[in-house]
Amino acid sequence: MTTQTFRIGPATVGYGHPVFIIAEAGVNHNGRLDLALKLIDAAADAGADAVKFQTFHAEDVVTSQGEMAAYQKKNIGKVKSQIEMLRELELKDKDYPLLIARAKKRKILFLSTPHGGKNSVDFLRKLGIPAFKFGSGDLTNLPVIAYAASFGKPMILGTGMGTMKEVEDAIAVIQKAGNRKIAMLHCTSNYPCPPEETNLRAMTTMMENLPVLVGYSDHTAGIQIPIMVTAMGACVIEKHFTLDKNMAGPDHKASLEPDELRSMVEAVRLATTVLGSSKKAPNPSEKIIAPLVRKSLVTLKPIDKGEKFTHNNIGIKRPGTGIQPREYSRILGKTARRMIPADTLLRPHDIRP
C-alpha cells in the first residue's frame, strides 16, 4: 500500500487522511444551467469536497451509429441513438464560468470529466480545474489519459469493466508522462449496481498491489457501500446524486437525492472518525476512567508486620491506583513491613524486598 499523498485544492488525498468525497452530478442537470447550479448548491450543502460534471460535445464522444446502453434505455424509457441522448445532456461552454463561480462561492471544488477527449481536456485545463477525473469508459483510452497527465494535475480514473492489466497500463502511461498524482477508483459499470456485482475485495487487491492511491466510485443504491469502503481504507469516494430521482434522464434513478447525499457524507465522515489512528493506546477519556475500573492488590484481612503475603490474605479489587494485579505472583511469599488493615490497597513501601 502506497504512502503517497497529493493535494486537490485545499484537500490532502491519501490513506489516513479524510476521505475525498466527490458528489457526481454528471449529466443530471439534463443540459440546463439552472439545474446545474442547484446541483452545486446541493453538493455544497451536503458537505462534499467536490462536485463533478461531464464536459463534452456529443460529436466528440460517439459516432452516429452508437447505441444507448441497456440501463440508459431502461432509465429513459425510450430508445434513441447515443448521440441524440448526449446532445440533450451537454452543458454550453458559456455555462462553465458561471458554474465555477458558484462552486467557488459555495466553497466546494469544481471538477468535470473530460468526456470529449483532448478537446475537453484542453477546455477544462484553460478553466483551471484542479484535477482530471476520467470515467471507466476511458480506462483504455491511453492517448487521452497520457495527454491529460502531461499537465501535471492529479489524475483520478474509474476502473469499471477493467482488468488489473488494463488498470496497470493506465497507471504506466500516466507515470511515463511524469505524473505521480494518481488515484484509481474501483467500481462496477452498472447503474444501479446489484450487490452481487460490487466485489469490494477487488478494491483491497488494488490497494495491496498498485503503487497508487485507491478509492471507490459507487453505483449501488443507498449509502451502505460508501460507509463500508471507508472502513476498508478507500481514500476517494465518488457517488452520483440528483435533485430528483424521478426526473427524465439516464442516471437519475441510480443517484442519491440531496438528503441522502448529506446522510452519506455525514456517515463517511463519522466512519473516518471512528477508524481513528492505527496506534493502540488509551484515549484521554480512558485515562480518566482507568483508575476507577481497573484493579489493584488489596488485603483481604488484617496482616501483621512480618507476616507473609499468601493467597488467603491478599486479593484483587478496584480501584486501580495501587499495585497492578500483574505483580500478584511476585509478591506472594514476601513479608509485610508493617501492620496493614483489611481491605487496604497494598503500596510498594508495605512490602519487604
Side-chain angles (χ1 to χ4, degrees):
M1 182 181 290
T2 183
T3 59
Q4 78 166 130
T5 63
F6 57 79
R7 294 183 70 82
I8 301 179
T12 298
V13 181
Y15 302 129
H17 293 270
V19 177
F20 187 75
I21 300 176
I22 302 172
E24 167 68 275
V27 294
N28 283 342
H29 47 75
N30 288 356
R32 289 171 49 183
L33 174 61
D34 62 325
L35 294 183
L37 292 169
K38 289 179 180 178
L39 284 164
I40 292 173
D41 289 338
D45 289 342
D49 294 291
V51 59
K52 191 184 76 64
F53 293 87
Q54 295 180 14
T55 296
F56 61 91
H57 294 295
E59 289 75 11
D60 292 334
V61 181
V62 64
T63 67
S64 58
Q65 289 78 42
E67 296 183 1
M68 292 168 61
Y71 81 88
Q72 293 170 336
K73 296 175 185 177
K74 179 180 178 182
N75 291 347
I76 290 177
K78 56 185 176 181
V79 177
K80 58 180 77 173
S81 68
Q82 263 203 59
I83 199 166
E84 288 175 315
M85 177 189 71
L86 290 175
R87 283 188 184 125
E88 297 174 359
L89 301 174
E90 294 179 9
L91 287 168
K92 297 179 176 62
D93 290 357
K94 66 180 182 180
D95 293 339
Y96 283 85
L98 299 173
L99 296 172
I100 292 171
R102 177 65 68 90
K104 185 176 181 179
K105 180 180 179 181
R106 294 304 313 274
K107 295 181 170 55
I108 186 169
L109 292 169
F110 180 90
L111 300 177
S112 191
T113 292
H115 201 36
K118 289 184 178 181
N119 290 337
S120 294
V121 170
D122 286 336
F123 178 75
L124 291 170
R125 178 175 61 86
K126 291 173 183 176
L127 290 172
I129 64 162
F132 285 117
K133 196 282 172 177
F134 284 88
S136 296
D138 279 318
L139 178 65
T140 57
N141 190 353
L142 301 185
V144 171
I145 290 173
Y147 180 68
S150 69
F151 298 108
K153 296 179 182 291
M155 298 284 290
I156 304 173
L157 275 68
T159 64
M161 304 171 287
T163 65
M164 196 66 159
K165 176 65 164 56
E166 289 170 337
V167 173
E168 292 168 343
D169 288 347
I171 293 170
V173 300
I174 295 170
Q175 293 178 331
K176 186 176 180 181
N179 194 326
R180 295 293 187 273
K181 294 174 282 191
I182 307 167
M184 306 299 284
L185 308 187
H186 172 57
C187 72
T188 302
S189 296
N190 195 348
Y191 306 82
C193 172
E196 63 271 18
E197 292 188 358
T198 307
N199 194 22
L200 294 186
R201 288 194 176 99
M203 187 187 79
T204 301
T205 299
M206 292 169 65
M207 293 172 69
E208 292 173 348
N209 293 280
L210 296 178
V212 300
L213 296 173
V214 173
Y216 184 71
S217 180
D218 188 39
H219 301 144
T220 63
I223 69 173
Q224 179 182 0
I225 303 303
I227 300 169
M228 291 177 65
V229 297
T230 300
M232 293 172 67
C235 60
V236 179
I237 292 176
E238 179 182 65
K239 183 74 173 181
H240 282 262
F241 79 107
T242 180
L243 298 174
D244 184 347
K245 292 180 183 179
N246 295 315
M247 292 175 66
D251 295 338
H252 294 285
K253 289 181 174 58
S255 302
L256 298 179
E257 291 187 345
D259 287 348
E260 295 173 305
L261 179 64
R262 185 182 301 108
S263 294
M264 187 206 81
V265 172
E266 290 173 352
V268 168
R269 301 297 187 214
L270 177 59
T272 302
T273 300
V274 169
L275 285 171
S277 73
S278 59
K279 183 179 180 181
K280 176 58 180 172
N283 287 302
S285 62
E286 292 180 304
K287 291 179 181 179
I288 296 172
I289 294 172
L292 304 177
V293 300
R294 285 194 165 183
K295 297 176 180 177
S296 304
L297 300 184
V298 301
T299 57
L300 299 178
K301 57 181 68 175
I303 298 176
D304 292 329
K305 181 178 180 179
E307 185 179 348
K308 285 186 176 182
F309 298 110
T310 69
H311 293 293
N312 294 323
N313 62 19
I314 62 170
I316 300 169
K317 297 183 183 181
R318 291 175 175 175
T321 54
I323 297 172
Q324 294 187 30
R326 66 187 179 197
E327 301 294 327
Y328 183 77
S329 297
R330 184 182 66 81
I331 288 171
L332 288 176
K334 295 184 181 294
T335 58
R337 270 184 169 164
R338 65 181 182 91
M339 187 275 172
I340 310 171
D343 205 34
T344 301
L345 293 179
L346 281 180
R347 304 293 182 186
H349 62 264
D350 294 328
I351 304 162
R352 293 186 187 278

